[in-house]
Amino acid sequence: MASSHSSSPVPQGSSSDVFFKKEVDPSKHIQPVPSLPDVCPKEPTGDSHSLYVAPSLVTDQHRWTVYHSKVNLPAALNDPRLAKRESDFFTKTWGLDFVDTEVIPSFYLPQISKEHFTVYQQEISQIFMKPDFALDDSLTFNSVLPWSHFNTAGGKGNRDAASSKLLQEKLSHYLDIVEVNIAHQISLRSEAFFHAMTSQHELQDYLKKTSQAVKMLRDKIAQIDKVVCEGSLHILRLALTRNNCVKVYNKLKLMATVHQTQPTVQVLLSTSEFVGALDLIATTQEVLQQELQGIHSFRHLGSQLCELEKLIDKMMIAEFSTYSHSDLNRPLEDDCQVLEEERLVSLVFGLLKQRKLNFLEIYGEKMIITAKNIIKQCVINKVSRIEEIDPDVVVKLADQMRMLNFPQWFELLKDIFSKFTIFLQRVKATLNIIHSVVLSVLDKNQRTRELEEISQQKNAAKDNSLDTEVAYLIHEGMFISDAFSEGELTPVAVDTTSQRNASPNSEPCSSDSVSEPECTTDSSSSKEQTASSAIPGGVDILVSEDMRLTDSELGKLANNIQELLYSASDICHDRAVKFLMSRAKDGFLEKLNSMEFITLSRLMETFILDTEQICGRKSMSLLGALQSQANKFVNRFHEERKTKLSLLLDNERWKQADVPAEFQDLVDSISDGKIALPEKKSGATEERKPAEVLIVEGQQYAVVGTVLLLIRIILEYCQCVDNIPSVTTDMLTRLSDLLKYFNSRSCQLVLGAGALQVVGLKTITTKNLALSSRCLQLIVHYIPVIRAHFEARLPPKQYSMLRHFDHITKDYHDHIAEISAKLVAIMDSLFDKLLSKYEVKAPVPSACFRNICKQMTKMHEAIFDLLPEEQTQMLFLRINASYKLHLKKQLSHLNVINDGGPQNGLVTADVAFYTGNLQALKGLKDLDLNMAEIWEQKR
């Protein structure tokens, strides 16, 4: 048989199918296997074609197959250069490049597809794919084995029988070769076999002696074990068993305690102990996670506790809402500031523990509702007591309220403000409790953080000292493990002092059966540490360390509590404003008189100050409403008095009026520093007769009746500023306008002669002018007093408004000067008229000078009782100067000179007559007339 014949069962393609581009010689890659001597002929008889196609054991025995490989595939692919083995199956088995590197197709290998195996599958499917395939079947066996074609069956004849016989002989030859080789190997080692046989008896004796020695040793060891070790080991086993039993007992007792968690929580919730219930749930959850993890009977308890915790959250929110409603809507006559303080503290702690920070919003909503109800209830109580109001006719409560007169409505407003004040005090007391709880939690957080920092510093120092000690021990030659075991004795002893307080129903550990370290758990050291704190109301609280709020959140919450108190004040003010506006719809507030509005303003200002003192911040809504109403009041107040002043001036005849005693008392009180309307005195004032003049600080003022009333009006402005400080600036502006109006209107009536048409005066006399001047002087006298009064009530940044008084003072002085100039002008025109007709001739005194002296006397009589003496003197000096000017002009026209002649003597006599008459007038005796100025200077 030729070796080139293929023995592979894979079908070969035709010559046209190119499977391989290059024939590979197996002899170049492997060592040839040594073959046994072949006893068969080289060329067996038969058809060569049939031998080529069918497999042959004889011809294929020297071909290399995969079974000749001495190294498995994973070992061949394992890369020893990789320092790290991957966990992936393919990279671990076949190397890292199996995944990361793409295999490049070989140019020498064909692309094998499934179609290439179609013919092979068709051939073997008739044999191997049968459902009843079995090798014990002779037909199947002959078909599968490669020498099946050597069978005599098939009609091959003697040729096949010869091949079969030849094969049997060859196999017998192989068996003989193996036997010869085995015999040869045994002969080579014959000495060792004989030696083993001779030493076998000695070996058996030695093994027997050894077995006896081992038996004796085992007996001794058994006796030693029974005498020395068995009792001690039994004691140790009993101690271990006892410890295990104790642990089991503690575990069972802990399980029993945990089993009672839900009933205990229900009991706590029935008494509103939300904090205790939450702490119990948290502790139980921790125990379940750390010490009872994996207990099958508790597999659903954790989820049940979570649901129970969510239920507690909802219960606390509902409970806080109920508490807020009860606290804010209880009778305001109750003296208790805080309702059920312990209940409030428990609720707040529970809400903080669960981070339910929106409870302040709930309280704020309840405040708004309560404020509305307070006003509504007060109105109902007030209206129900008024018999004139029929609720069947007037249905709406607002309309019933508008039917109240001012005293009734004022009492209602006063009652509302009183109830709001009590309401804010209660809100403040409640919020103070909440604020104290928040601050106590914040303080505990800070102290806990400080203790942790101190603990960390101590641990760091301990580690440093331990490192130093270890280095010393190493230097001294001690074992480090011994040093650590000695150093850890103290921490172990310290750890044994921690105790568990899992629930209120947990039983204390039995000292006779359970040691203290075994009774404690690791979770108790961090969970159950609490700190005692005290609320201002006197309630002691326990702050647990498992609060989930940060310092910033607690600080923000504290600020929100303060803002809520401010909001409570704003709510009360807003509701009060709406109440005022509902009453002001029909112009009720604008119709109030001065005393009623002042009373209302004082009540509102008192309420504003009270709320500011309670809440710590001034609310602006009610203050703004008061300011708005005050502005309307000021406008109406000013218009009324300005109209009144206008009517007085239009009816003023500018004659000197008698001064009633009440006006004298009025100016006296001003002199005493009391700028206010004096209270009416009983009886005495009515019996006193009016005076002719008004005495002000020792000076007499002849005035008209309008000025007296103007002074009273000015005091009303000043008193209004005292009663309503918020209108100071407006009142200053209005008063300035009033004073300017009086100045301008009096100027129009007197200097402008408007009184001739308005009042019907025939002429404006010098007495009218002098009386007007004196009235203006009286007002000017009081302007500094008024200025000082307003300056004391103005803020410094508004002092610039005081310049209005400076302008008014200047205007009044200008007006007074104009009146004086008018009086001089009257006499000046008279002098011009009379002296222009003067002739120097007898008789002496001449008629011209007699008329001049007569007019001067009338002028003096008209003004002397009205003006002060010094003003009269100054006025007559100005009149005399005008007289001298006109006389000098006339003498110059007549060419009369001071030459001592007859004409000079006549003029001198007339002048002496004029001078004597003028100085004879009251108050003008010492008047320096200097009549020498009438003569021309000599050239």
Side-chain angles (χ1 to χ4, degrees):
M1 295 182 183
S3 62
S4 61
H5 293 174
S6 175
S7 63
S8 174
V10 180
Q12 301 294 327
S14 62
S15 60
S16 61
D17 296 334
V18 181
F19 277 63
F20 303 96
K21 294 183 180 180
K22 184 178 181 181
E23 184 68 21
V24 179
D25 188 5
S27 62
K28 296 181 179 180
H29 299 281
I30 59 173
Q31 295 292 334
V33 181
S35 61
L36 296 175
D38 192 0
V39 295
C40 298
K42 296 293 182 182
E43 295 292 336
T45 60
D47 190 4
S48 62
H49 179 74
S50 62
L51 295 177
Y52 176 79
V53 176
S56 175
L57 179 62
V58 177
T59 58
D60 294 338
Q61 61 178 338
H62 301 296
R63 293 182 60 86
W64 186 91
T65 64
V66 293
Y67 300 105
H68 291 82
S69 176
K70 299 301 187 295
V71 180
N72 58 359
L73 185 59
L77 294 178
N78 191 10
D79 190 354
R81 295 172 296 176
L82 292 180
K84 181 179 180 182
R85 303 303 179 189
E86 299 294 338
S87 60
D88 184 76
F89 172 77
F90 298 101
T91 56
K92 178 180 179 181
T93 307
W94 294 337
L96 185 62
D97 293 339
F98 179 82
V99 176
D100 297 337
T101 304
E102 182 179 359
V103 179
I104 301 176
S106 175
F107 296 101
Y108 302 99
L109 297 178
Q111 296 295 330
I112 303 300
S113 64
K114 189 175 181 181
E115 286 73 10
H116 291 87
F117 298 92
T118 303
V119 178
Y120 172 72
Q121 289 179 351
Q122 291 176 356
E123 291 180 358
I124 66 173
S125 61
Q126 299 176 1
I127 299 172
F128 293 98
M129 300 301 177
K130 293 193 300 181
D132 56 349
F133 177 83
L135 289 176
D136 56 355
D137 186 9
S138 59
L139 296 177
T140 303
F141 180 80
N142 293 329
S143 299
V144 171
L145 291 179
W147 51 80
S148 60
H149 61 279
F150 293 115
N151 291 335
T152 58
K156 298 296 181 177
N158 296 327
R159 184 182 181 89
D160 293 336
S163 298
S164 179
K165 183 178 180 181
L166 180 63
L167 178 60
Q168 292 178 0
E169 293 179 353
K170 188 174 183 177
L171 294 177
S172 299
H173 176 68
Y174 289 160
L175 178 61
D176 294 338
I177 293 174
V178 171
E179 291 178 353
V180 170
N181 288 333
I182 292 174
H184 176 69
Q185 293 296 331
I186 293 175
S187 64
L188 293 176
R189 294 170 175 80
S190 59
E191 295 181 0
F193 282 109
F194 290 121
H195 182 270
M197 293 298 293
T198 56
S199 62
Q200 183 177 5
H201 296 288
E202 296 179 0
L203 182 60
Q204 289 180 352
D205 295 338
Y206 179 74
L207 289 177
K208 185 177 181 180
K209 293 179 180 178
T210 303
S211 176
Q212 294 176 354
V214 170
K215 182 178 180 181
M216 294 176 61
L217 181 60
R218 286 180 177 178
D219 293 338
K220 291 181 180 179
I221 292 175
Q223 293 177 0
I224 294 173
D225 178 66
K226 184 176 180 180
V227 176
V228 179
C229 300
E230 185 175 354
S232 300
L233 290 176
H234 182 65
I235 293 174
L236 292 177
R237 282 193 294 269
L238 290 177
L240 181 61
T241 303
R242 179 181 179 277
N243 290 335
N244 292 334
C245 292
V246 168
K247 291 180 181 180
V248 172
Y249 169 75
N250 290 333
K251 189 71 68 174
L252 292 174
K253 187 168 65 173
L254 182 60
M255 292 175 63
T257 303
V258 172
H259 183 68
Q260 295 297 322
T261 298
Q262 289 179 315
T264 306
V265 169
Q266 297 295 337
V267 173
L268 292 174
L269 293 180
S270 64
T271 59
S272 299
E273 291 290 338
F274 298 105
V275 178
L278 291 172
D279 288 339
L280 179 57
I281 291 175
T283 304
T284 304
Q285 290 278 27
E286 185 177 353
V287 171
L288 288 176
Q289 294 175 2
Q290 294 184 0
E291 301 179 28
L292 299 181
Q293 187 175 10
I295 302 298
H296 185 71
S297 59
F298 289 151
R299 64 187 183 280
H300 301 303
L301 182 58
S303 59
Q304 294 174 357
L305 293 178
C306 291
E307 294 298 327
L308 188 59
E309 187 175 0
K310 294 179 182 179
L311 178 62
I312 293 175
D313 293 345
K314 296 179 181 179
M315 292 179 61
M316 286 192 298
I317 295 295
E319 183 73 12
F320 185 80
S321 178
T322 304
Y323 174 85
S324 302
H325 179 79
S326 302
D327 179 51
L328 296 175
N329 291 277
R330 57 196 168 102
L332 295 174
E333 293 78 12
D334 191 2
D335 295 334
C336 181
Q337 290 292 330
V338 181
L339 179 66
E340 299 181 16
E341 184 174 345
E342 296 182 359
R343 176 186 174 192
L344 174 62
V345 171
S346 176
L347 280 172
V348 174
F349 266 108
L351 293 170
L352 293 179
K353 184 180 180 64
Q354 297 302 106
R355 298 179 61 86
K356 302 296 180 181
L357 305 183
N358 59 341
F359 66 94
L360 294 180
E361 299 176 2
I362 298 175
Y363 197 80
E365 294 173 357
K366 297 296 181 181
M367 287 193 306
I368 297 176
I369 298 174
T370 304
K372 294 180 181 178
N373 293 335
I374 287 175
I375 293 182
K376 183 177 181 180
Q377 190 62 40
C378 289
V379 174
I380 292 175
N381 295 338
K382 186 65 178 179
V383 170
S384 62
R385 294 195 297 266
I386 306 300
E387 298 180 356
E388 293 79 5
I389 300 176
D390 188 359
D392 297 332
V393 177
V394 183
V395 180
K396 293 184 178 181
L397 190 62
D399 296 336
Q400 296 176 7
M401 182 266 295
R402 293 189 186 96
M403 296 180 66
L404 300 175
N405 55 28
F406 178 76
Q408 295 171 344
W409 181 82
F410 182 79
E411 290 298 326
L412 173 59
L413 182 63
K414 187 176 181 180
D415 184 39
I416 291 174
F417 284 166
S418 176
K419 297 292 178 59
F420 274 160
T421 302
I422 299 174
F423 168 73
L424 290 177
Q425 290 174 348
R426 287 186 175 177
V427 170
K428 181 180 180 180
T430 301
L431 293 181
N432 282 342
I433 297 298
I434 299 175
H435 191 263
S436 300
V437 173
V438 174
L439 291 183
S440 63
V441 175
L442 180 61
D443 179 67
K444 176 58 183 176
N445 288 352
Q446 294 175 352
R447 284 190 293 170
T448 302
R449 188 166 53 253
E450 292 176 358
L451 292 176
E452 290 177 354
E453 293 176 356
I454 295 175
S455 178
Q456 291 176 359
Q457 294 176 358
K458 290 182 177 179
N459 291 335
K462 181 179 178 180
D463 293 340
N464 294 334
S465 62
L466 187 59
D467 294 340
T468 304
E469 182 179 358
V470 169
Y472 172 77
L473 293 175
I474 294 174
H475 179 71
E476 293 295 328
M478 295 181 63
F479 291 102
I480 299 178
S481 59
D482 297 337
F484 274 111
S485 63
E486 293 176 359
E488 290 175 353
L489 291 177
T490 302
V492 171
V494 173
D495 291 339
T496 58
T497 60
S498 60
Q499 294 183 357
R500 168 166 299 281
N501 186 16
S503 68
N505 295 336
S506 61
E507 300 178 357
C509 301
S510 176
S511 60
D512 58 349
S513 61
V514 183
S515 61
E516 188 175 5
E518 295 166 349
C519 182
T520 61
T521 58
D522 297 336
S523 62
S524 62
S525 60
S526 61
K527 185 81 174 180
E528 299 300 330
Q529 294 181 1
T530 58
S532 177
S533 180
I535 300 299
V539 179
D540 292 334
I541 57 175
L542 291 178
V543 184
S544 60
E545 288 188 347
D546 59 348
M547 287 294 179
R548 307 172 184 174
L549 298 174
T550 62
D551 290 354
S552 60
E553 290 175 331
L554 291 172
K556 184 178 180 180
L557 184 60
N559 294 333
N560 292 339
I561 294 173
Q562 187 63 41
E563 290 295 331
L564 186 59
L565 182 59
Y566 298 154
S567 177
S569 176
D570 294 339
I571 290 171
C572 294
H573 282 244
D574 293 341
R575 302 311 305 178
V577 169
K578 290 183 178 180
F579 178 76
L580 290 174
M581 294 300 102
S582 64
R583 189 64 183 92
K585 286 184 177 180
D586 55 355
F588 173 77
L589 298 179
E590 297 179 1
K591 298 176 183 178
L592 299 179
N593 58 37
S594 300
M595 292 305 300
E596 290 175 343
F597 186 82
I598 289 171
T599 305
L600 176 62
S601 175
R602 287 179 176 175
L603 177 63
M604 295 173 67
E605 290 177 351
T606 301
F607 176 70
I608 292 173
L609 292 177
D610 291 342
T611 55
E612 181 182 4
Q613 184 178 5
I614 294 173
C615 301
R617 189 181 71 178
K618 180 182 291 185
S619 297
M620 303 306 297
S621 57
L622 185 60
L623 185 62
L626 175 60
Q627 187 65 39
S628 176
Q629 294 298 324
N631 292 336
K632 295 179 181 179
F633 168 76
V634 168
N635 292 332
R636 182 176 56 82
F637 180 89
H638 177 65
E639 292 299 329
E640 288 179 355
R641 278 142 188 83
K642 189 174 182 180
T643 302
K644 181 179 180 179
L645 179 61
S646 177
L647 293 174
L648 290 173
L649 288 173
D650 290 343
N651 292 281
E652 181 60 58
R653 302 189 65 85
W654 297 101
K655 292 182 179 181
Q656 183 177 359
D658 293 336
V659 180
E662 59 176 339
F663 285 96
Q664 185 60 54
D665 295 338
L666 186 65
V667 297
D668 291 342
S669 65
I670 296 174
S671 301
D672 295 337
K674 184 179 180 182
I675 304 179
L677 295 175
E679 299 179 358
K680 293 183 178 181
K681 298 180 181 179
S682 59
T685 305
E686 297 179 358
E687 297 176 359
R688 295 166 58 188
K689 296 180 179 180
E692 295 182 356
V693 294
L694 185 67
I695 300 175
V696 180
E697 297 180 0
Q699 292 189 12
Q700 296 181 356
Y701 286 87
V703 294
V704 297
T706 301
V707 173
L708 293 177
L709 294 176
L710 177 60
I711 293 175
R712 185 180 182 88
I713 291 174
I714 292 173
L715 291 182
E716 289 177 354
Y717 276 82
C718 295
Q719 187 171 5
C720 186
V721 169
D722 290 337
N723 296 327
I724 313 176
S726 60
V727 300
T728 302
T729 56
D730 292 336
M731 278 296 182
L732 189 150
T733 305
R734 302 302 194 280
L735 181 57
S736 300
D737 179 69
L738 186 72
L739 294 176
K740 290 178 181 179
Y741 176 77
F742 174 77
N743 184 40
S744 61
R745 186 59 178 161
S746 62
C747 181
Q748 294 173 2
L749 294 173
V750 180
L751 280 178
L756 298 180
Q757 292 80 19
V758 176
V759 187
L761 296 180
K762 295 181 180 180
T763 183
I764 301 299
T765 64
T766 55
K767 191 168 187 177
N768 297 138
L769 293 171
L771 191 59
S772 175
S773 176
R774 196 56 175 160
C775 290
L776 293 173
Q777 293 174 22
L778 178 62
I779 300 302
V780 170
H781 174 78
Y782 282 115
I783 286 179
V785 180
I786 300 171
R787 176 192 173 101
H789 181 81
F790 277 88
E791 184 178 3
R793 287 152 182 81
L794 279 176
K797 62 180 180 180
Q798 294 180 342
Y799 282 168
S800 60
M801 297 185 67
L802 298 174
R803 67 180 184 276
H804 293 295
F805 293 111
D806 299 333
H807 297 161
I808 294 171
T809 302
K810 182 179 181 301
D811 294 341
Y812 272 68
H813 282 301
D814 293 341
H815 189 185
I816 295 171
E818 289 178 2
I819 293 176
S820 299
K822 183 66 176 178
L823 293 173
V824 174
I826 292 173
M827 297 306 297
D828 184 77
S829 62
L830 179 64
F831 293 150
D832 182 57
K833 179 180 179 181
L834 295 177
L835 291 177
S836 63
K837 301 177 180 180
Y838 174 63
E839 295 180 355
V840 183
K841 63 180 181 178
V844 177
S846 63
C848 177
F849 272 81
R850 288 177 180 175
N851 288 334
I852 290 174
C853 289
K854 182 180 178 180
Q855 296 297 329
M856 295 287 282
T857 301
K858 288 182 178 180
M859 172 68 76
H860 181 270
E861 290 174 353
I863 68 174
F864 184 76
D865 293 335
L866 301 178
L867 299 179
E869 182 177 343
E870 60 274 9
Q871 293 185 17
T872 304
Q873 291 178 357
M874 293 298 298
L875 181 61
F876 273 90
L877 283 177
R878 294 178 62 186
I879 294 173
N880 181 61
S882 176
Y883 161 76
K884 291 189 292 183
L885 181 62
H886 285 282
L887 180 58
K888 183 178 180 179
K889 179 180 178 182
Q890 184 63 22
L891 291 178
S892 176
H893 176 71
L894 297 175
N895 294 321
V896 178
I897 61 175
N898 189 12
D899 56 358
Q903 289 183 335
N904 180 264
L906 292 174
V907 172
T908 303
D910 286 338
V911 171
F913 174 75
Y914 165 80
T915 303
N917 278 277
L918 188 60
Q919 293 181 343
L921 297 176
K922 188 176 181 180
L924 303 180
K925 180 179 180 181
D926 299 330
L927 197 64
D928 184 11
L929 301 177
N930 194 13
M931 299 306 296
E933 295 179 354
I934 64 175
W935 304 106
E936 289 285 347
Q937 297 294 331
K938 292 183 179 181
R939 299 178 181 177

